[in-house]
Amino acid sequence: AAQMLPMVHAANCQEMANTAWAFGTANFHDDLLFSEIAAQALLKLDEFKPQELSNILWGFASNGFFDEVFFERAATAAQCMDLHAQHLANILWAFARVQPRHGLTRQTILNLLPWCTVQLTTFKPQEVSATLLAVAKSFGREGEPESDCLDAAEQAELMLPDEVLVFFRSVIQWGAPKIHDFSAQSLANTVTAYAMIPTTGAEVLLDAIADEVLRRYNSLDPTMLLHLLKGFAVSCKRGQLQRGGHVLQALASGVARHVGEMRQQDIKGLSKLLGGAQRGQDMSPDELHHMLMTLSPEDLVMAVDPTMAVPLANELLCTPETPTRAMRSGSFSIRDASKMLTQMDGEMTSPNHTRMPFQLHSQMEQQQQQQQ
């Protein structure tokens, strides 16, 4: 990264975008490099193509890097571009990933979400689920309903912008017939999004997801079982499922079998979900196992803390549905990034990402040859 820094000023838009994307994919953080890329990109923002803009935002967000001036200018530039489904999904995910409740993020979502609704038939399931989750993290409820007179969906709809409601309602009809095409994470993203933004009619989609989860049950890994249990439990708590009992029971049993293998943070999260925080202490793995295996679905829903949809959304947003490979510890060279991008050709959600900064690469190769 230190070697690349002096070269950024000579990079073109694609090179800057691909460099940010590569570092984001590798989960290799360097604020100094990202700040320089953002500063140079601002000078050429009107030259960026939609793919390049979405890639650079995705790369920054994947590493938790937020330059408010760049993101603000990028949001303005995006509104003047011909954005397709992948661009829209990546841009909205990026803003929600770094600053979900920021006014800039919310306004960007409201500006671009109608485009998502119009182009919904061109979206892939993972793009729809990522967009749903991004919107839910920015506009979704973080607590219980304030009124007992209205159900969760009715109260949520009174408080949400029309752009959000129209998109969430449109996805219900679009998604139910396509549910077999959703990946496990796309299913978890979608369930979590509707748990945070209860929507009238969502039970049609959520019941279809529940049936699909039961069909795939034996192939789901422990992490996905846990994510789905959290999402469905909160959705049931908020009255979003008609046939939630069977899927909850199956997921609870599946999670119980793996409690002993869970990370400590997962134990704490599961304990909070099941009301452990209300008792003033976390539950032990044995207590969680017993509770998951013995509680009826109805009692499980009664025990659930609905605010757990928020940390679940945070965790899912931090794991974008894009294959990533962690770079080895130590230095990160331009050769590493170039090799990584070549290996990932055709695997990633960004079709035009595969060329690493050619001018930077050439200059670095020349420097390294001279040093040798």
Side-chain angles (χ1 to χ4, degrees), residues 52-115:
E52 294 162 352
L53 186 67
S54 67
N55 277 6
I56 196 170
L57 288 168
W58 189 95
F60 286 163
S62 293
N63 252 318
F65 176 78
F66 179 68
D67 182 300
E68 185 168 358
V69 175
F70 177 79
F71 271 72
E72 183 176 2
R73 290 274 303 279
T76 301
Q79 295 178 60
C80 302
M81 293 180 172
D82 181 19
L83 299 175
H84 297 164
Q86 184 189 97
H87 311 140
L88 290 163
N90 284 348
I91 290 171
L92 295 183
W93 177 88
F95 276 83
R97 168 71 174 82
V98 287
Q99 290 288 338
R101 296 280 174 169
H102 196 291
L104 173 61
T105 296
R106 289 184 166 186
Q107 191 56 55
T108 301
I109 288 174
L110 295 181
N111 289 338
L112 298 184
L113 202 55
W115 299 9

Side-chain angles (χ1 to χ4, degrees), residues 63 66 110 112 115 145 221 234-235 246 306-307 344 363 369:
N63 252 318
F66 179 68
L110 295 181
L112 298 184
W115 299 9
D221 64 47
V234 177
S235 291
H246 291 308
T307 64
M344 290 182 177
Q363 292 168 345
Q369 289 171 4

Side-chain angles (χ1 to χ4, degrees), residues 38 103 222 270 276 309-310 320:
L270 184 57
V310 176

